[in-house]
Amino acid sequence: MNIILIKLFATALTLSQVTTRPDAVKTQFDPVADKAQVVQILRDGCAHMRKAFDIEDINLDELISTAMEDPSAIAGASAPKLLHGLDIGELNTSYRQFCKGENPANSPFDAAEVIAFYNKAVADLPSAQDLKDRKLPGASLILDGAGKRYAEAFEANGRRLSVPIGDVPVMVQKAFVAAEDKRFETHKGIDERGVIRAFIGNLASPGRPAGGSTITQQVVKNLSVGDDVTYERKIREMIVASRLERILGKPQILELYLNGIYLGRGSYGIEMAARSYFGKSVGQLTVPEAALLGGMPKGPNFYNPDKYPDRAKERRAYVLARMKDEGVITEAQLTEAANAPLGLKPIETTRRDSGFYFVDHLTREARTFAGIDSLTSASHVVRSTINAGLQTAVESALQDGLATYERATGRQRYEGPEFNLADSIAKLGGSTPAVEGSVQSVPLVVGGEAKPKAAPVKPAPAVAVAGPKPVPQTPVWQRALESARPVLYDVHWPLAVVLESGRGPVKAGLADGRIVSLDPGIAKGRLQTYDVVRVKLRDPKAKALRADLRVRPSVQGAALVLENRTGRILAMDGGFSYPLSQLNRVTQTVRQPGSTLKPLTYLAALNAGLQPNTLVMDASVTLPPIGGVGQSWSPKNYDGGGSGATTLRRGLEFSKNLVTARLLQGGIADTPPASLTRICDLALEAQLYAECERYYPFVLGSQPVRMVDLAAFYAAVANEGARPAPYALEAVERDGAVLYKREPKEPVRIGSADRVAFYQLKTMLQGVTNHGTAAALARFSGSIAGKTGTSENENDAWFAGFTNEITIVVWVGYDNADGTRRTLGRGQTGGHLAVPIAGTILQAAWANGVARTPLAPPSPEAKRLLADLPIDPRSGARVSGGGFIEHFRLSDGRVADTQYQLLPREVQTAMRPDSEDGDTGGLDDGADVVGDLYGNLTTRREPEPDLFDPFGERPAQPRGRRAQGEGYEGSRSPAWPGTQRSPFGEDEPPRARRRDPDYLFGDDPRY
């Protein structure tokens, strides 16, 4: 038996069952015992069809005979693919056998083969009950911190806003029913007349096969059995549709249909389509708007009103006519609606280009706090904390900073274009790019075909000709670029299409049609025509545009902006680009913080009673093994030496490793192990760690930390010890009901240190940005304090800082998922890499609604226990007038004098050489790298000329000795990549010699 005939009979067997015995549809027949039953079902089905067509006074025999008059039409090349190979004679014989009661001797029918195909087609049939209980995936609307639309979260083919059928006006319902299924209210899931008409039409008019599906069948196809163009799918669809009609009412089926159908513009469901096309809810649609949408299911792309408005109007007119025939609208309404403009709202793209790491984090918080497994399981309104403008700026700053680093160090690599448009341009009829000033290469579009433009000739005299001016033709390459899907859709460098490549300048086209002269840089000689690359314009306002190539870096980074008082996450960027890596390095990774952890040790020392002017020896130190186990620890400064006696403040400002280590010797507790225990306890209370590794290098930042936890600690410093809990999710709503709302929470006070210690630490960290290792921020130091950090061998570069309002943390480094750790290169420190990025973010925050204020004075609680007195910034000694204003803790109403508590006066005096030698008595002679240090650090100071511009692409060299001066991390020029230095010495200046990195921790292999 012919295979096409087998499939047709199996389909007829299905149709016969669902129309004559819908309550007893069999899904399995015995190939031997049920032959006679199958024959009878087929005959009953044919009799039913004849009666159905008799109702409309249509002669079914005549219809079929007419369709079969020209068998060559079906056997020929133009026949439908589904009917290729079908013998029309056999089909006609079979029709007479089952529909006219004949018993032809040459019958091609074999019941066993039909049963076998049918049984296989309906195996594992989906349950109609599943559709009854189906909750359609939806698009959740994500609002930013200001309550404005920021993003949508939806699954593929799931951008919908479901609405109950009661919210859909009857007129809108009738528009879809009139266009798609006029007998929807009366059939039982299958419109047999529609199926037969489609079948006959396919015989008589070969081409794209008509389906004859009802609205119920379309629901089943879209939501259950799939949309394969096969007989098997049609069989399964009819059975499930018939069963669905038995368990759901017509309104519920129509609700599934109207919420499930695709209507173009990326919209699923009537509500999302109404908003997308007309900017209104479905309940506000007018008659012409309802008719336009009602005509879309037949072909959302073919009738696309944006591309084919004439087709869309013709389809709308057809739907309006059907609505008039069904009595939904009057003749006058039809006339008015048919002449109405389309009235489309401009296309609002759903291609979001920022905030992907943030939205990912938001969905995790929704799962954790609101108990919502997926934001795409239904349509929610999600209120978040994000500052949309700042988020984009943070991503741009990080991307630019990472690329600048790789360019400056010679590490960038060109690995090819993002994609190539040659195939797309060819499909659009283009061949040669349109380049300004090149007559021969500009295509002339004639009748859809690109042809060379004729050579220029002498212009004829001007003649006034009435009529509209010709509309400029959009270049083919520009149209291709508009429809392209960028691979790195969240990278904020513009895309450009290479139009001319070769030895000369590279010509490239931007998305807005402008032509630029592109410097290919490291891709010189490797760019091909129609390659699409990323560029950066040198001057976007210039008449002759010039641009530089940008390539994605292999180095990674992350950035976070946190609101200090509330913990609201204003911006979060977990990596260079989300499509390349979905790992959120803000919340899902831990890295060594290096010197950004040092403030924890200084906080413990200040809380123990030391003052910022306490002198500490910046000299070699050896700490005994903890508990007598292992070996001693002998950390080193970067250059292997020390600067002698220095104040606690200067030790932090210039990030002295030896000063930090010496604080363990009596500066916090009586013994180094006891001091370490206090620091660990403080770290645990501050929630920097869940567990503290009790070994000495911990104080230099050897234990990895999450960025979000580090940010919360720095926010606590800004708040004088009140630590906020970072969060992104404010509330979740569904159908107007609040599912979750975050209750306001006051920051939790870190009780292991008082307000005085936190405020003193804050002013010391302001010194870091004023003239210390983050002096590149000196121009903003009146408003920001913070700390740089670089981990072992320059593997991680950090900056963590805060204003009164926000905390900013930036990390730069290479991923080490493969188990290897890659250095950023000698001299690539937190001050050099992370600080410039943070500076850009800081300015972006001020430009996006964050207040710019001077760092706040002490709170009333702290002020009562503080005294502001002038000191000599080098020695820490009190002076009678002038000098630097230091903030001293009061004890019993008096200033606790701890200047010589760790370094006896006689020892310090004995160290001082004859002043005639020009020395400073053991104090570092070169630490004062930015003019004088006098004046209150809570007052904004302008940068000195020695500072390089941290926001340019190439920092200037510091002058004179300062280029090699102590601890001036932020002023060093880019070092040659690949070199290494000892761990945790990021804040010391480079020197000509190299040392084994392990030497820093002595001989104990554990360190």
Side-chain angles (χ1 to χ4, degrees):
M1 187 175 178
N2 182 282
I3 184 62
I4 301 295
L5 205 57
I6 291 173
K7 294 178 179 180
L8 287 174
F9 270 109
T11 306
L13 176 61
T14 308
L15 183 60
S16 296
Q17 289 193 89
V18 299
T19 55
T20 64
R21 56 193 74 185
D23 297 340
V25 175
K26 290 185 65 173
T27 56
Q28 286 294 309
F29 290 94
D30 186 278
V32 178
D34 293 335
K35 284 184 178 182
Q37 184 184 13
V38 167
V39 170
Q40 188 59 49
I41 291 173
L42 289 170
R43 285 178 171 168
D44 291 345
C46 192
H48 176 83
M49 298 299 169
R50 293 167 68 92
K51 289 181 180 180
F53 277 87
D54 285 345
I55 295 174
E56 296 187 7
D57 197 21
I58 295 175
N59 190 320
L60 185 60
D61 291 345
E62 185 178 335
L63 279 176
I64 294 177
S65 298
T66 302
M68 295 183 179
E69 279 180 354
D70 186 10
S72 63
I74 295 174
S78 62
K81 292 182 179 180
L82 290 176
L83 301 177
H84 270 306
L86 176 65
D87 187 322
I88 299 301
E90 290 184 349
L91 180 61
N92 206 353
T93 299
S94 301
Y95 169 71
R96 288 187 286 109
Q97 177 182 353
F98 290 99
C99 293
K100 307 197 72 170
E102 299 179 8
N103 291 302
N106 60 341
S107 173
F109 180 74
D110 186 329
E113 290 187 276
V114 173
I115 289 172
F117 181 84
Y118 176 83
N119 287 347
K120 184 177 180 180
V122 298
D124 301 321
L125 196 65
S127 170
Q129 187 67 38
D130 291 342
L131 288 174
K132 178 181 179 182
D133 302 328
R134 173 70 66 89
K135 299 296 183 184
L136 296 178
S140 287
L141 178 63
I142 298 173
L143 306 179
D144 64 14
K148 297 180 180 178
R149 179 185 180 276
Y150 177 70
E152 292 176 357
F154 53 88
E155 298 175 0
N157 306 329
R159 184 175 175 257
R160 68 170 51 81
L161 296 173
S162 295
V163 291
I165 192 66
D167 290 349
V168 181
V170 173
M171 179 268 296
V172 176
Q173 298 180 36
K174 295 294 186 181
F176 280 86
V177 170
E180 290 293 305
D181 188 1
K182 69 178 182 179
R183 281 182 286 272
F184 173 68
E185 297 294 342
T186 58
H187 65 62
K188 291 182 171 60
I190 310 298
D191 182 2
E192 53 267 50
R193 282 171 283 185
V195 173
I196 296 301
R197 285 178 185 277
F199 176 69
I200 294 173
N202 290 337
L203 289 176
S205 303
R208 180 180 178 183
S213 294
T214 65
I215 282 178
T216 311
Q217 286 177 271
Q218 291 184 56
V219 168
V220 172
K221 178 182 68 174
N222 293 333
L223 304 179
S224 180
V225 300
D227 58 357
D228 295 337
V229 186
T230 63
Y231 288 97
E232 291 91 332
R233 189 268 297 170
K234 199 69 175 179
I235 290 169
R236 295 160 69 84
E237 175 189 294
M238 286 193 289
I239 295 175
V240 177
S242 175
R243 291 176 174 176
L244 184 62
E245 287 270 351
R246 295 170 57 200
I247 63 177
L248 280 183
K250 292 292 185 179
Q252 288 71 41
I253 293 173
L254 188 58
E255 179 178 307
L256 278 173
Y257 174 75
L258 292 177
N259 282 316
I261 195 71
Y262 178 66
L263 295 171
R265 280 198 177 185
S267 303
Y268 288 80
I270 183 65
E271 176 68 15
M272 182 63 80
R275 297 189 185 193
S276 179
Y277 283 103
F278 305 113
K280 60 179 66 172
S281 181
V282 63
Q284 301 170 304
L285 291 177
T286 63
V287 169
E289 292 167 349
L292 179 69
L293 296 181
M296 295 297 289
K298 187 174 180 64
N301 293 321
F302 186 81
Y303 295 109
N304 184 334
D306 300 306
K307 292 183 178 180
Y308 312 110
D310 291 339
R311 292 181 189 174
K313 287 182 179 180
E314 289 177 5
R315 180 64 178 166
R316 183 183 68 175
Y318 165 77
V319 177
L320 288 168
R322 289 288 307 118
M323 293 172 70
K324 163 64 172 54
D325 292 343
E326 295 297 321
V328 179
I329 59 174
T330 65
E331 184 70 35
Q333 286 177 305
L334 184 152
T335 302
E336 181 183 359
N339 293 320
L342 291 178
L344 301 176
K345 177 187 176 184
I347 297 176
E348 186 177 273
T349 179
T350 59
R351 297 184 189 178
R352 180 163 49 91
D353 65 354
S354 69
F356 292 94
Y357 289 104
F358 178 87
V359 172
D360 243 10
H361 180 71
L362 195 66
T363 59
R364 293 188 182 93
E365 286 200 357
R367 236 182 346 258
T368 302
F369 301 125
I372 298 173
D373 289 337
S374 172
L375 290 179
T376 60
S377 61
S379 299
H380 303 88
V381 175
V382 182
R383 301 184 183 276
S384 77
T385 61
I386 195 169
N387 180 316
L390 179 57
Q391 176 67 37
T392 299
V394 166
E395 293 177 13
S396 297
L398 185 65
Q399 290 165 5
D400 285 342
L402 298 180
T404 298
Y405 154 73
E406 288 207 343
R407 275 199 319 278
T409 57
R411 292 192 174 194
Q412 67 174 174
R413 297 289 182 268
Y414 179 71
E415 299 178 356
E418 192 157 335
F419 53 93
N420 186 282
L421 287 176
D423 291 343
S424 299
I425 289 174
K427 290 178 181 178
L428 292 172
S431 58
T432 307
V435 180
E436 293 178 357
S438 177
V439 174
Q440 298 298 326
S441 65
V442 177
L444 180 64
V445 179
V446 181
E449 181 179 355
K451 296 184 178 181
K453 193 173 183 180
V457 296
K458 186 176 180 180
V463 178
V465 179
K469 295 182 179 180
V471 178
Q473 179 69 38
T474 301
V476 178
W477 62 263
Q478 188 180 357
R479 284 186 280 143
L481 183 59
E482 287 174 354
S483 59
R485 299 263 179 174
V487 178
L488 305 181
Y489 45 76
D490 61 346
V491 171
H492 301 292
W493 301 321
L495 289 169
V497 184
V498 174
L499 302 178
E500 283 186 7
S501 60
R503 296 182 179 179
V506 174
K507 296 293 182 183
L510 301 176
D512 58 10
R514 291 182 296 172
I515 306 299
V516 302
S517 178
L518 175 63
D519 180 358
I522 60 172
K524 186 175 183 180
R526 299 175 62 185
L527 296 178
Q528 304 295 320
T529 303
Y530 300 139
D531 277 352
V532 178
V533 295
R534 298 282 179 174
V535 301
K536 185 163 187 178
L537 299 178
R538 295 179 183 175
D539 181 2
K541 297 181 180 179
K543 187 174 182 180
L545 291 176
R546 299 180 64 82
D548 296 305
L549 183 73
R550 285 292 181 265
V551 299
R552 68 175 180 89
S554 57
V555 70
Q556 274 291 354
L560 176 67
V561 182
L562 190 71
E563 195 171 74
N564 293 336
R565 293 300 308 172
T566 64
R568 298 168 73 244
I569 296 174
L570 302 184
M572 169 191 286
D573 192 9
F576 172 76
S577 175
Y578 185 84
L580 292 176
S581 170
Q582 288 76 58
L583 178 68
N584 190 336
R585 293 157 187 84
V586 173
T587 61
Q588 295 177 311
T589 64
V590 291
R591 302 293 297 232
Q592 287 184 331
S595 293
T596 55
L597 196 71
K598 286 179 180 176
L600 192 69
T601 299
Y602 283 81
L603 178 63
L606 292 167
N607 194 70
L610 295 186
Q611 304 278 25
N613 75 330
T614 301
L615 290 173
V616 186
M617 280 299 297
D618 180 23
S620 59
V621 61
T622 297
L623 301 182
I626 298 175
V629 178
Q631 297 189 10
S632 301
W633 181 51
S634 299
K636 303 292 181 183
N637 283 334
Y638 180 81
D639 60 1
S643 56
T646 189
T647 62
L648 197 66
R649 171 182 289 276
R650 290 166 66 81
L652 180 61
E653 290 172 346
F654 299 105
S655 200
K656 297 294 189 177
N657 291 339
L658 294 176
V659 171
T660 306
R662 279 186 172 273
L663 289 176
L664 299 176
Q665 288 185 315
I668 299 169
D670 293 338
T671 66
S675 295
L676 182 60
T677 296
R678 287 195 185 179
I679 296 171
C680 276
D681 291 343
L682 186 56
L684 295 177
E685 186 182 359
Q687 299 184 48
L688 277 163
Y689 301 99
E691 184 178 352
C692 179
E693 299 178 9
R694 292 186 70 255
Y695 67 118
Y696 293 130
F698 172 83
V699 301
L700 300 183
S702 64
Q703 182 174 339
V705 69
R706 288 198 313 164
M707 175 182 284
V708 67
D709 297 326
L710 188 65
F713 170 68
Y714 274 80
V717 178
N719 295 337
E720 285 188 9
R723 180 193 182 277
Y727 73 98
L729 180 65
E730 295 278 14
V732 182
E733 303 166 9
R734 180 178 174 185
D735 298 331
V738 177
L739 303 183
Y740 167 80
K741 183 176 182 181
R742 188 182 190 277
E743 296 301 326
K745 297 179 181 178
E746 287 295 319
V748 178
R749 181 153 299 282
I750 301 173
S752 297
D754 63 11
R755 286 179 174 272
V756 171
F758 275 106
Y759 181 74
Q760 288 177 313
L761 177 64
K762 181 167 76 170
T763 67
M764 292 163 68
L765 291 173
Q766 192 175 15
V768 175
T769 59
N770 185 278
H771 54 265
T773 58
L777 297 175
R779 66 170 115 173
F780 309 128
S781 65
S783 298
I784 187 169
K787 185 70 184 74
T788 57
T790 312
S791 71
E792 182 177 1
N793 295 333
E794 286 106 335
N795 289 323
D796 307 277
W798 293 83
F799 174 76
F802 54 85
T803 68
N804 291 326
E805 294 76 23
I806 59 172
T807 289
I808 299 171
V809 183
V810 175
W811 167 81
V812 177
Y814 290 95
D815 285 337
N816 55 14
D818 59 357
T820 61
R821 301 190 68 194
R822 183 178 176 187
T823 178
L824 291 164
R826 188 180 178 94
Q828 305 303 326
T829 63
H832 186 68
L833 299 183
V835 166
I837 297 172
T840 303
I841 293 173
L842 177 64
Q843 294 178 90
W846 289 334
N848 283 278
V850 176
R852 179 174 183 174
T853 56
L855 279 178
S859 64
E861 296 91 335
K863 188 174 183 179
R864 288 195 297 268
L865 300 174
L866 284 167
D868 294 345
L869 301 171
I871 65 167
D872 176 79
R874 298 175 182 272
S875 66
R878 299 260 297 274
V879 295
S880 58
F884 166 73
I885 301 300
E886 186 57 271
H887 310 279
F888 288 92
R889 175 189 294 273
L890 296 177
S891 178
D892 296 328
R894 303 177 62 183
V895 172
D897 188 0
T898 65
Q899 182 182 6
Y900 296 103
Q901 181 172 319
L902 299 183
L903 180 63
R905 184 188 300 268
E906 57 273 17
V907 175
Q908 194 268 342
T909 302
M911 293 173 55
R912 180 179 298 137
D914 192 325
S915 59
E916 292 181 358
D917 293 337
D919 206 321
T920 57
L923 294 170
D924 174 45
D925 187 39
D928 187 8
V929 296
V930 187
D932 71 75
L933 299 181
Y934 299 95
N936 193 329
L937 288 183
T938 58
T939 302
R940 183 175 176 220
R941 301 175 62 243
E942 294 298 324
E944 297 295 328
D946 287 344
L947 287 175
F948 69 92
D949 179 2
F951 310 108
E953 294 198 351
R954 291 185 178 275
Q957 280 278 14
R959 293 200 304 270
R961 182 174 181 270
R962 295 186 179 113
Q964 297 295 323
E966 170 215 4
Y968 190 40
E969 183 184 46
S971 64
R972 293 194 288 270
S973 59
W976 191 259
T979 57
Q980 298 179 349
R981 61 175 181 72
S982 58
F984 314 114
E986 98 293 350
D987 302 303
E988 300 295 335
R991 223 177 186 189
R993 63 192 181 111
R994 296 181 60 193
R995 293 187 290 106
D996 189 325
D998 293 332
Y999 180 69
L1000 175 64
F1001 300 124
D1003 299 324
D1004 190 338
R1006 295 179 303 170
Y1007 302 145

